[in-house]
Amino acid sequence: MGPPGAGKGTQAKILAEKYNLIHLSTGDILRREIKKKTAIGLEAQSYMNGGNLVPDNVLLAIMDSTLTSLKDSGTILDGFPRTIPQAEGLSTIVENLDSKIDYVLNIHVEEQILINRLIERAQNSGRPDDTEEVITKRQKVYTKLTAPLVNFYKNNIIQIDGDGSIDQVTQRILKQIQ
Ligand code: AMP
């Protein structure tokens, strides 16, 4: 977990390769649905372009079927859960699969650094939600709906300082989970 721009996707990819996990980014899944013009993609598009979260029931249906189909593989979730109802739903999914969550990592970075990073990324990402206005909106949505998850997972959350180079942050994570 972590706010937009914290480096979740980058670190998740590195950890997935290192530990042979399947990297599940809900943002990537939704962008693929938009590209394929599926019903989910069409529903998700306006929420995403406006910097809002896609409704919980859509995400929970996607993650239920995806995690069920990957039942015997280790996965790293990137960008999910993002709300308390999603976290509750994930607990149920995990329980039904007789599985467990090994680690909850929260990458935190000061807001101004995040905004600068995202504005820089916007120059190459081609993402319609990487404009300054939508970036600010996504930070607000994070604070209101996603930040409370830190308390939801307070018993087993690992806090990671996300300021620094990609490698520095990876080393901080590895120190905590090895
Ligand atoms: P990301 O690539 O993780 O920054 O996600 C991009 C956008 O996809 C977000 O701003 C949301 O609109 C949507 N999205 C991704 N994951 C979720 C989620 N778990 N719940 C709701 N919306 C999501």
Side-chain angles (χ1 to χ4, degrees):
M1 303 189 326
K8 296 186 295 291
T10 305
Q11 297 298 332
K13 200 165 161 246
I14 294 169
L15 294 177
E17 267 168 33
K18 183 167 171 61
Y19 293 107
N20 205 15
L21 302 168
I22 294 172
H23 173 200
L24 288 178
S25 151
T26 43
D28 286 349
I29 294 173
L30 292 168
R31 281 185 286 275
R32 279 199 292 273
E33 297 289 326
I34 292 176
K35 220 172 177 180
K36 289 192 281 179
K37 297 193 165 59
T38 63
I40 288 177
L42 292 175
E43 183 178 356
Q45 191 162 25
S46 58
Y47 292 103
M48 290 173 74
N49 288 352
N52 291 301
L53 294 185
V54 176
D56 289 334
N57 61 332
V58 176
L59 267 298
L60 282 166
I62 293 175
M63 292 313 276
D64 192 7
S65 63
T66 307
L67 290 172
T68 303
S69 71
L70 296 172
K71 186 177 168 18
D72 297 320
S73 317
T75 54
I76 180 157
L77 306 185
D78 160 15
F80 178 89
R82 253 178 160 103
T83 64
I84 298 278
Q86 289 183 19
E88 288 169 348
L90 177 61
S91 301
T92 308
I93 295 169
V94 166
E95 214 177 289
N96 289 342
L97 291 172
D98 214 4
S99 189
K100 70 181 169 59
I101 297 173
D102 293 310
Y103 300 103
V104 181
L105 300 169
N106 185 48
I107 307 181
H108 54 88
V109 182
E110 200 189 300
E111 185 162 345
Q112 198 48 51
I113 297 176
L114 292 173
I115 293 179
N116 293 344
R117 274 189 193 176
L118 285 169
I119 290 172
E120 206 178 299
R121 182 176 89 183
Q123 289 162 2
N124 306 310
S125 78
R127 280 176 51 165
D129 59 348
D130 266 350
T131 63
E132 193 165 348
E133 189 192 339
V134 180
I135 287 168
T136 309
K137 168 79 186 178
R138 282 160 57 210
Q139 298 296 343
K140 285 204 178 111
V141 167
Y142 171 82
T143 305
K144 186 161 173 228
L145 296 173
T146 309
L149 290 183
V150 171
N151 190 46
F152 183 91
Y153 287 116
K154 65 176 181 289
N155 294 333
N156 58 350
I157 200 163
I158 297 174
Q159 295 288 358
I160 303 291
D161 175 3
D163 190 11
S165 70
I166 292 175
D167 189 51
Q168 277 171 331
V169 178
T170 305
Q171 294 311 321
R172 286 178 199 142
I173 295 174
L174 295 181
K175 237 190 238 161
Q176 297 281 343
I177 64 177
Q178 274 171 341

